[in-house]
Amino acid sequence: MVRVVRATQVEISAAVQALRDGELVAFPTETVYGLGANAQDPGAVRRIFEAKGRPANHPVIVHLDSPRFLHRWVREVPQTATRLAEKFWPGPLTMVMPKAANVNPMITGGQDTIAIRVPAHPMAQQLLTAFGGGIAAPSANRYGRLSPTRAEHVREEFGDSLRIILDGGECQIGLESTIVAFEGESVRLLRPGSVTAADLRSVAGELLTGAAENSPRVPGSAPMHYAPQTPLTVVPAGEIDAQADAASSGGRRVAVLAQRLPLRAHKYVTWINAGKRPEAYGHELYNNLRTLDRAGCQRILVQAVPDGDRWDAIRDRLLRAATDVAQSDDGTGTSLAVLP
Ligand code: TXA
Ligand code: MG
């Protein structure tokens, strides 16, 4: 069980004051930790980009405590968005909608749309309610690196340069939110997350997937996002033992993220069994990749995860973390497209 942690009033007051002063505050959400700034303060939002080393034209999500003040940020809320909000907010769903006129262009990356999310984590809710405004927040990691799912991951990324990190324990979901955009009343899935395609269809009916013609920029969808430093390869499920042996021949050290125990002892292999349940696998994914990245290995091999939309978000993040995808000998894992 994941501990649900609330902040003290003193911690929340300090964080709110920091936001009002234009400082950055890291805070927990149920997906990953966010690096937050007052969304109405252009100087503070610029500081997010500097701290992350993120290109200035990449838009960030604005977090609200409820849809109450949505109209301050969104010009026109599609009816389908209202229905999705009723079902999935607060929660791990981000919706990209037409932006209101006065929204700071740093937030939207100069686009005509804005991404909004109402997170469910109690500490995020406490912070947002006490602050009383929108908090712009990308994941609290340096650009292109693994997202943080624990307060200590944020500390590892930013060290003392971040004065306030609210510690809400382990993020329950552990993978970034599902992102959707709207084309009229039609819904397009931009980034898979724990609100699955089937969940979205249950409200929206049809679901568009793949990039639209005038597709908005989603840097999280660039190849080589969410990547560890050690080269990572996704291998067909049935070949993980053989590939671990081959990769570790001659005493090379290899790290493995699998869904079962090894079939035999491998001498130079650090093996993590992440299990067969997508919720538990997703919860630990970034933490496991951090552990394997630090294990002093030359390669990370990941056993390909099953098909099916409960694994979509995990499969997506693994492919973005991968430097290459091993070709299948036996047909398993063929649903994994080879990255360009
Ligand atoms: O779970 C999450 O979504 C976490 C927590 C902190 O809320 N946040 C997060 O933010 O993952 P970030 O910045 O790492 O990823 C947000 C994604 C980016 O890929 C960004 O391009 C996309 O959302 N995005 C933001 N505004 C957008 C817009 N107007 N149109 C299209 N994509 C947008
Ligand atoms: Mg991110």
Side-chain angles (χ1 to χ4, degrees):
M1 267 300 284
V2 176
R3 259 179 335 138
V4 174
V5 190
R6 291 180 72 83
T8 63
Q9 216 37 58
V10 173
E11 289 173 302
I12 292 294
S13 302
V16 166
Q17 193 55 52
L19 290 171
R20 294 200 176 126
D21 292 342
E23 280 184 53
L24 303 183
V25 168
F27 64 99
T29 82
E30 69 278 29
T31 57
V32 299
Y33 275 74
L35 184 61
N38 178 357
Q40 273 169 314
D41 178 344
V45 177
R46 184 167 326 112
R47 241 158 257 140
I48 294 178
F49 288 85
E50 288 164 4
K52 280 186 63 98
R54 176 165 168 158
N57 63 350
H58 287 202
V60 290
I61 299 172
V62 173
H63 298 70
L64 304 176
D65 71 343
S66 82
R68 263 180 314 155
F69 298 122
L70 202 51
H71 59 273
R72 293 187 183 169
W73 304 92
V74 180
R75 187 170 68 234
E76 203 189 314
V77 181
Q79 277 173 21
T80 328
T82 304
R83 286 194 285 126
L84 288 169
E86 279 164 8
K87 176 106 186 231
F88 299 113
W89 278 356
L93 177 68
T94 297
M95 296 201 275
V96 174
M97 294 175 279
K99 74 170 184 70
N102 55 352
V103 173
N104 168 7
M106 290 225 52
I107 286 176
T108 60
Q111 303 184 83
D112 196 35
T113 52
I114 183 167
I116 307 278
R117 171 155 116 82
V118 176
H121 194 292
M123 210 183 269
Q125 280 284 330
Q126 278 181 293
L127 179 68
L128 286 160
T129 302
F131 178 60
I135 299 181
S139 50
N141 53 283
R142 291 187 193 276
Y143 182 64
R145 305 251 68 98
L146 298 167
S147 294
T149 54
R150 300 183 183 175
E152 58 262 33
H153 297 165
V154 183
R155 255 173 241 122
E156 279 163 29
E157 291 279 315
F158 295 105
D160 293 337
S161 66
L162 250 186
R163 196 167 63 82
I164 301 194
I165 301 173
L166 292 177
D167 186 345
E170 296 174 18
C171 301
Q172 192 166 1
I173 293 167
L175 298 172
E176 303 80 357
S177 60
T178 304
I179 304 183
V180 295
F182 297 88
E183 293 167 24
E185 292 296 334
S186 302
V187 181
R188 182 175 295 278
L189 178 61
L190 298 183
R191 179 174 74 183
S194 71
V195 173
T196 64
D199 294 335
L200 294 166
R201 280 193 198 99
S202 75
V203 174
E206 201 199 350
L207 183 67
L208 308 171
T209 54
E213 235 170 72
N214 299 317
S215 83
R217 284 187 295 274
V218 186
S221 66
M224 287 308 287
H225 218 78
Y226 315 113
Q229 254 131 16
T230 314
L232 181 151
T233 308
V234 178
V235 306
E239 295 173 19
I240 188 69
D241 275 86
Q243 299 248 10
D245 273 344
S248 62
S249 69
R252 281 173 303 183
R253 300 197 48 196
V254 172
V256 169
L257 182 61
Q259 293 189 264
R260 54 166 171 73
L261 293 168
L263 298 176
R264 53 185 173 279
H266 301 281
K267 201 162 169 199
Y268 300 106
V269 175
T270 304
W271 186 290
I272 292 181
N273 171 14
K276 291 190 159 52
R277 289 180 42 234
E279 294 76 21
Y281 191 108
H283 170 77
E284 280 298 313
L285 175 61
Y286 288 135
N287 191 48
N288 283 337
L289 289 178
R290 278 172 192 268
T291 303
L292 294 177
D293 206 13
R294 276 196 308 259
C297 295
Q298 273 146 313
R299 290 208 81 74
I300 299 175
L301 302 181
V302 179
Q303 183 181 13
V305 296
D307 290 333
D309 67 359
R310 289 168 75 220
W311 291 95
D312 279 353
I314 291 164
R315 198 179 313 105
D316 171 77
R317 303 312 187 274
L318 287 174
L319 287 177
R320 295 186 201 299
T323 20
D324 56 278
V325 178
Q327 291 299 303
S328 164
D329 292 340
D330 60 359
T332 52
T334 42
S335 63
L336 299 169
V338 178
L339 288 173

